C-alpha cells in the first residue's frame, strides 16, 4: 500500500508532486511527505494525516527546485506519525527515499547498519533503505541503489534522490508494488498509479520486477538488478493510455464512489464492445486471452481466485460456469489459496480477478498456479499491472480508473468479464444444443444492461429512504440463494466497508442454522430474490424473518407480486426484468446505493473509509 510520486524537469517540482499525491490518496492516507532538492539543499516536509494536512504545512517559497519525490502512507512498520512518514533520509541527509511495500529482512539489515554506526530516526523498514544506499554510495546513485536492492528481500517500489546528483531520480521495483514512469516533454514523472500521471502525460512505462530506472528530464535508462550489465532502452515498451484526465476527476459528483456508480453503463458497454457480437451468434473475440480452442476443449476444471469484492465476482462465476457449462469450478480467496496446498491438474486453469491488478494475495495465488503448471488467466482493470503482466492471458475490464476504496464499477466490469469468458469458452466446448442456445440468448440481455442500469440510477428515492432507515440500525443482514448468495455477501461488504454498520451476507438457507438467533424486532434483513429457480424458497425464508418481527426488504425483478405483498411495496427494490444469470449485474447497483446512502446519512468519509486502502499490496 502507499502512493509514491516523483518529478524531474524544468518546472518547480513541489506543486506537481502535491497534485500527484492528491490523486493517490486512495492508496493510503495516514501520513504524507515530500522532498525537493535544489542547489545541494533538500526541502523536506512531512506530517501525520492526509495530503491535505501536508498542503497546510508546506511552504512553497522555500522549495522551488525542479526535482523531488513524495509519499502518502498506509502504515505497515511503525504507527502513523510524522517521524514514520516518508521521505526518509540517510545519516548525512544527502539522500531521500520513499517506498511502497515491505523490506522483509529490514531487522537484520538494521542491526548490521547500526553496528556500522548508522543512526535511525523512525521505526520504518524504509529508513533501512536510505542507510543501506548511503553505505554503498560512492559517487554514483544508480550503482548504490542497485547494490542495495541486491541485499534486500521483500516486495517494494521505491524512489531515491541524492543531493549530489540532483539531475536524476532513481526508481526501483522488486516483486509486486507498481511503479509507473510517465514520459513528458523536457520532464519525466513517476507514480504508483496511472491516474496521477494523466494530467501530465499518457505515455507510460510500468517498471517490471527487478528494474531500476535512472530518470533525468530528457532521458530514461533502465537496467535490471537481477541481470546486471544489461542496460536497455525504454522506448520499445512505452504504452499509450487512453483514459482521459476527466475520468480521473470527480466531474461534479460529491465523491468518487457516486461518480463511479454512475459510470457503470459505460463500463458495461466498453467491456463488451468489440468482443461480444451485438446481434446473432457470431464469434466472441478476445485475442488477449491467449486461449486456444484446443486448451478450452481439454479444460477439466477452473479455479477462480481473488480477494474482497473481486472474490464475490468469482463466486458468481462458479454458479454461472457450473450451471451453463457443467465445468467444475473451485473458488478461493487469495490469502487462503496458496497456503492450503491446492492441487491443480494439467488440464486445469486458474483465473485471477482483480481491479487493481496489484493485490499481493492474488498475485501469490497466480504464482502458485503457475508453479503447478496451470495456465493462468487474469480479469483485471489496470493496463500493464503486475497481474496483467504475470498472467498468460488477460481480459481487461475497461472500467477506467476506480478511485473510491469501495469497488463498484470494477465489480460490474468483473461480472461482465466473467460472462465474456463464459461466452468465449462456450463457443469451443461440446455442449447440448439447448444449453448453447441459452448461452447465446444471454447476449441481448448483456447488451441491454447499460440502459437498465441507467433506469435504476434515474430514480433512487426508494433506495435512499431504505438506506437512511438502515443507517439508524446497529446491524444489517443480507440473504440470497443461487447467484443472489454472492450478491448478498457483496451487499454486506459494501455496507460495512463505508458505513461501519455491522453487516453479514448469507446463503438464505443458512439462516435457520444460527443467524436467526440474531433477528429481533426491526433488525434489517435484505432478501435478494431475483433467481426464479429458488424464488419459492426465498419467500419461505422471508416468512421466517417476518415471524421474528425483523424488517424485511425484498430485492426483486420487475413485476414481482408475492414477495412485494409479503413485505409491502415500500420495502421493495426492483431491478429491471432480465435473465436470472445476468441479474447479479443489476442487483449489484442497489447494493452499492444502499451502502452509499447509508454511509452518507451517517456522514462517513465515503471514498476513504477508515483503516482501508484501495490497493492491498501486502499479504
Ligand atoms: O484490486 P482488487 O480487485 O484485487 O482488490 C481486492 C479487494 O481488496 C477489494 O475488492 C476490496 O474488497 C474493496 N475495497 C471492496 O469494495
Amino acid at each position: 500500500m502507499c502512493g509514491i510520486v516523483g518529478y524531474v524537469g524544468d518546472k518547480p517540482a513541489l506543486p506537481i508532486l502535491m497534485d500527484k499525491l492528491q490523486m493517490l490518496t486512495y492508496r493510503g492516507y495516514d501520513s504524507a511527505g515530500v522532498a525537493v532538492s535544489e542547489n545541494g539543499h533538500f526541502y523536506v516536509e512531512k506530517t501525520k494525516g492526509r495530503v491535505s494536512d501536508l498542503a497546510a504545512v508546506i511552504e512553497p517559497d522555500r522549495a522551488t527546485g525542479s526535482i523531488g519525490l513524495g509519499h502518502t502512507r498506509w502504515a505497515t512498520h511503525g504507527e502513523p506519525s510524522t517521524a514514520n512518514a516518508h521521505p526518509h533520509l540517510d545519516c548525512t541527509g544527502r539522500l531521500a527515499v520513499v517506498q511502497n511495500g515491505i523490506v522483509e529482512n529490514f531487522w537484520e539489515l538494521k542491526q548490521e547498519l547500526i553496528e556500522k554506526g548508522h543512526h535511525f530516526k523512525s521505526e520504518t523498514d524504509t529508513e533501512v533503505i536510505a542507510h543501506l544506499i548511503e553505505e554503498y554510495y560512492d559517487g554514483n546513485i544508480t550503482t548504490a541503489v542497485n547494490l542495495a536492492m541486491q541485499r534486500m528481500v521483500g516486495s517494494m517500489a521505491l524512489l531515491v534522490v541524492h543531493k549530489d546528483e540532483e539531475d536524476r531520480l532513481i526508481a526501483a521495483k522488486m516483486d509486486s508494488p507498481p511503479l509507473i514512469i510517465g514520459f513528458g516533454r523536457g520532464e519525466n514523472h513517476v507514480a504508483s498509479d496511472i491516474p496521477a500521471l494523466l494530467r501530465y502525460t499518457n505515455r507510460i512505462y510500468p517498471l517490471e520486477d527487478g528494474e531500476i530506472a535512472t530518470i533525468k528530464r530528457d532521458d530514461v535508462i533502465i537496467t535490471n538488478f537481477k541481470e546486471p550489465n544489461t542496460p536497455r532502452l525504454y522506448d520499445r515498451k512505452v504504452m499509450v493510455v487512453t483514459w482521459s484526465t476527466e475520468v480521473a476527476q470527480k466531474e461534479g459528483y460529491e465523491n468518487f464512489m457516486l461518480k463511479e456508480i454512475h459510470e457503470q453503463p459505460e463500463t458495461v458497454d466498453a467491456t463488451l464492445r468489440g468482443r461480444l457480437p451485438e446481434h446473432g451468434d457470431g464469434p466472441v473475440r478476445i485475442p488477449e486471452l491467449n486461449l486456444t480452442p484446443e486448451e478450452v476443449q481439454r479444460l477439466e476444471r477452473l479455479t477462480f481466485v481473488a480477494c474482497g469484492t473481486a472474490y464475490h465476482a468469482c463466486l458468481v462465476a462458479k454458479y454461472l460456469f457450473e450451471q451453463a457449462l457443467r465445468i467444475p469450478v473451485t473458488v478461493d480467496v487469495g490469502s487462503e489459496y496458496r497456503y492450503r496446498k491446492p492441487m491443480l491438474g494439467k488440464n486445469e486453469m486458474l483465473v485471477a480477478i482483480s481491479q487493481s491488478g496489484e493485490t499481493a494475495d492474488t498475485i501469490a495465488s497466480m504464482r502458485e498456479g503457475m508453479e503447478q503448471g496451470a495456465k493462468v488467466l487474469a480479469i483485471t482493470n489496470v493496463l500493464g499491472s503486475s497481474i496483467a503482466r504475470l498472467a498468460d492471458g488477460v481480459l481487461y475490464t475497461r472500467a477506467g480508473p476506480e478511485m473510491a476504496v469501495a469497488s463498484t464499477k470494477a465489480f460490474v466490469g468483473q461480472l461482465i468479464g466473467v460472462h465474456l469468458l463464459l461466452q468465449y469458452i462456450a463457443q469451443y466446448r461440446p455442449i447440448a444444443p439447448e444449453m448453447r442456445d441459452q448461452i447465446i440468448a444471454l447476449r441481448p440481455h448483456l447488451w441491454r444492461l447499460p440502459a437498465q442500469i441507467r433506469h435504476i440510477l434515474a430514480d433512487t428515492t426508494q433506495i435512499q429512504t431504505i438506506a437512511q432507515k438502515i443507517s439508524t440500525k446497529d446491524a444489517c443482514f443480507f440473504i440470497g440463494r443461487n447467484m443472489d448468495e454472492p450478491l448478498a455477501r457483496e451487499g454486506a461488504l459494501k455496507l460495512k466497508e463505508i458505513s461501519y454498520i455491522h453487516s453479514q451476507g448469507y446463503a438464505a438457507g443458512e439462516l435457520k442454522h444460527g443467524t436467526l438467533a440474531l433477528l429481533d424486532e426491526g433488525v434489517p434483513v435484505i432478501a435478494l430474490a431475483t433467481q426464479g429457480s429458488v424464488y419459492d424458497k426465498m419467500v419461505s425464508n422471508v416468512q421466517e424473518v417476518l415471524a421474528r418481527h425483523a424488517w424485511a426488504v425484498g430485492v426483486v425483478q420487475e413485476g414481482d407480486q408475492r414477495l412485494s405483498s409479503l413485505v409491502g411495496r415500500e420495502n421493495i427494490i426492483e431491478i429491471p426484468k432480465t435473465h436470472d444469470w445476468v441479474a447479479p449485474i443489476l442487483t449489484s447497483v442497489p447494493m452499492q446505493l444502499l451502502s452509499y446512502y447509508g454511509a452518507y446519512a451517517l456522514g462517513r468519509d465515503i471514498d476513504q473509509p477508515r483503516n482501508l486502502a484501495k490497493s492491498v499490496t501486502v499479504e
Side-chain angles (χ1 to χ4, degrees):
M1 233 88 45
C2 303
I4 63 182
V5 298
Y7 172 80
V8 53
D10 55 359
K11 303 186 184 80
L14 190 61
I16 296 172
L17 295 172
M18 291 301 290
D19 175 57
K20 290 194 287 198
L21 280 181
Q22 195 66 53
M23 295 290 293
L24 290 184
T25 45
Y26 58 89
R27 294 186 61 89
Y29 32 84
D30 63 45
S31 52
V34 283
V36 173
S37 182
E38 187 174 24
N39 302 326
H41 294 287
F42 267 140
Y43 170 77
V44 180
E45 195 65 75
K46 44 194 197 171
T47 185
K48 184 176 173 191
R50 297 179 177 223
V51 176
S52 50
D53 298 305
L54 179 66
V57 293
I58 55 169
E59 299 167 84
D61 296 346
R62 288 185 51 210
T64 50
S66 298
I67 181 167
L69 39 77
H71 189 268
T72 179
R73 182 168 185 250
W74 185 84
T76 57
H77 290 60
E79 61 171 12
S81 69
T82 300
N84 287 334
H86 304 208
H88 291 284
L89 306 187
D90 66 334
C91 296
T92 65
R94 304 197 73 73
L95 70 91
V97 179
V98 290
Q99 183 227 4
N100 170 29
I102 289 177
V103 184
E104 285 172 14
N105 59 338
F106 92 100
W107 195 85
E108 293 88 335
L109 289 171
K110 190 168 179 175
Q111 300 318 306
E112 177 189 318
L113 289 161
I114 288 171
E115 274 170 31
K116 287 186 170 154
H118 291 262
H119 295 287
F120 284 79
K121 299 190 179 97
S122 77
E123 304 154 294
T124 65
D125 52 344
T126 308
E127 197 183 350
V128 167
I129 306 174
H131 293 281
L132 195 59
I133 298 172
E134 175 189 9
E135 193 62 27
Y136 287 118
Y137 189 71
D138 190 15
N140 183 325
I141 187 62
T142 307
T143 306
V145 173
N146 198 316
L147 293 169
M149 293 303 283
Q150 294 181 44
R151 291 291 315 283
M152 291 188 282
V153 177
S155 176
M156 71 200 81
L158 53 95
L159 278 179
V160 185
V161 65
H162 196 291
K163 281 186 198 176
D164 296 348
E165 297 176 73
E166 63 184 13
D167 63 338
R168 65 198 64 190
L169 272 175
I170 312 300
K173 172 178 156 95
M174 181 190 293
D175 202 39
S176 58
L179 199 52
I180 324 287
I181 299 174
F183 300 96
R185 288 185 201 286
E187 62 182 25
N188 285 311
H189 300 262
V190 193
S192 296
D193 258 344
I194 298 168
L197 298 170
L198 290 178
R199 216 197 287 278
Y200 306 96
T201 181
N202 64 351
R203 299 175 62 243
I204 61 147
Y205 173 74
L207 277 184
E208 292 188 4
D209 180 24
E211 288 186 334
I212 297 185
T214 304
I215 305 166
K216 300 185 188 176
R217 51 173 290 199
D218 47 13
D219 189 22
V220 177
I221 303 275
I222 296 170
T223 55
N224 192 314
F225 67 83
K226 293 185 174 171
E227 308 157 17
N229 311 318
T230 54
R232 61 190 177 80
L233 295 175
Y234 61 78
D235 55 355
R236 268 176 264 141
K237 287 235 184 167
V238 168
M239 296 178 184
V240 177
V241 268
T242 52
W243 295 352
S244 66
T245 322
E246 297 76 57
V247 294
Q249 308 299 316
K250 289 185 199 156
E251 285 173 349
Y253 288 98
E254 203 166 334
N255 43 54
F256 280 115
M257 185 177 175
L258 192 60
K259 171 180 174 263
E260 287 158 7
I261 289 172
H262 280 264
E263 284 172 344
Q264 294 180 115
E266 291 89 272
T267 297
V268 174
D269 191 86
T271 307
L272 292 175
R273 201 150 290 286
R275 292 161 164 172
L276 185 76
E278 258 187 276
H279 307 287
D281 59 356
V284 183
R285 293 203 172 85
I286 318 174
E288 66 273 27
L289 257 184
N290 198 16
L291 188 57
T292 65
E294 296 71 34
E295 285 171 318
V296 170
Q297 280 147 19
R298 285 199 302 268
L299 190 60
E300 286 170 7
R301 188 168 65 124
L302 275 163
T303 295
F304 282 84
V305 183
C307 302
T309 285
Y311 170 69
H312 300 150
C314 296
L315 292 175
V316 173
K318 179 177 170 68
Y319 282 102
L320 188 61
F321 276 73
E322 290 190 341
Q323 289 176 70
L325 291 179
R326 311 305 296 155
I327 296 179
V329 174
T330 303
V331 178
D332 266 284
V333 286
S335 54
E336 287 300 317
Y337 183 70
R338 64 190 292 216
Y339 295 113
R340 73 165 174 81
K341 303 208 182 311
M343 293 180 294
L344 282 176
K346 73 174 171 15
N347 292 330
E348 299 191 16
M349 241 164 35
L350 185 139
V351 184
I353 304 188
S354 172
Q355 186 286 129
S356 62
E358 303 295 346
T359 301
D361 288 324
T362 308
I363 292 173
S365 303
M366 292 171 77
R367 293 212 167 105
E368 177 68 38
M370 284 173 160
E371 269 167 32
Q372 296 201 30
K375 176 135 189 166
V376 174
L377 302 181
I379 297 177
T380 186
N381 192 37
V382 180
L383 182 88
S385 59
S386 302
I387 283 177
R389 281 179 284 135
L390 188 61
D392 298 314
V394 187
L395 195 161
Y396 285 111
T397 49
R398 300 180 186 157
E402 190 178 68
M403 315 292 270
V405 166
S407 190
T408 54
K409 62 176 180 171
F411 179 60
V412 159
Q414 288 158 2
L415 294 179
I416 294 291
V418 163
H419 269 278
L420 283 171
L421 188 61
L422 171 87
Q423 294 279 340
Y424 183 89
I425 289 180
Q427 66 192 350
Y428 301 123
R429 295 283 290 188
I431 35 181
E434 316 78 66
M435 186 49 80
R436 181 172 305 285
D437 289 349
Q438 199 180 334
I439 292 171
I440 299 286
L442 293 173
R443 295 181 179 185
H445 290 286
L446 290 167
W447 280 107
R448 269 199 287 280
L449 283 168
Q452 293 180 318
I453 295 173
R454 280 192 195 98
H455 178 79
I456 299 174
L457 294 173
D459 182 5
T460 59
T461 323
Q462 179 115 326
I463 298 176
Q464 290 191 42
T465 309
I466 294 169
Q468 272 153 16
K469 197 166 154 194
I470 292 173
S471 75
T472 64
K473 309 283 183 178
D474 297 329
C476 184
F477 298 93
F478 292 74
I479 55 171
R481 287 171 176 261
N482 205 298
M483 286 188 205
D484 277 335
E485 187 263 344
L487 265 291
R489 295 181 189 234
E490 173 61 6
L493 173 61
K494 215 90 301 169
L495 183 66
K496 75 178 84 155
E497 182 178 25
I498 61 166
S499 71
Y500 318 149
I501 295 170
H502 178 84
S503 44
Q504 290 300 334
Y506 292 97
E510 279 292 291
L511 268 189
K512 55 188 175 293
H513 298 289
T515 310
L516 270 183
L518 295 174
L519 299 191
D520 202 349
E521 182 83 36
V523 173
V525 179
I526 316 301
L528 311 186
T530 72
Q531 301 291 301
S533 61
V534 287
Y535 181 82
D536 291 346
K537 303 276 176 210
M538 275 307 295
V539 171
S540 306
N541 292 136
V542 171
Q543 263 153 348
E544 290 162 13
V545 166
L546 293 173
R548 274 80 192 172
H549 307 289
W551 165 39
V553 172
V555 180
V556 295
Q557 293 205 27
E558 230 164 31
D560 172 86
Q561 298 290 333
R562 277 168 62 204
L563 202 65
S564 305
S565 57
L566 197 59
V567 301
R569 289 297 305 170
E570 70 283 11
N571 293 315
I572 282 290
I573 296 170
E574 271 186 352
I575 60 163
K577 193 110 196 89
T578 188
H579 192 290
D580 285 5
W581 294 351
V582 175
I585 301 167
L586 291 174
T587 305
S588 66
V589 182
M591 295 300 98
Q592 298 158 1
L593 292 168
L594 280 178
S595 83
Y596 177 83
Y597 287 112
Y600 191 86
L602 290 164
R604 304 295 193 220
D605 184 340
I606 287 178
D607 284 343
Q608 294 172 354
R610 68 186 182 198
N611 302 337
L612 299 177
K614 182 67 183 161
S615 184
V616 187
T617 53
V618 292
E619 278 189 53

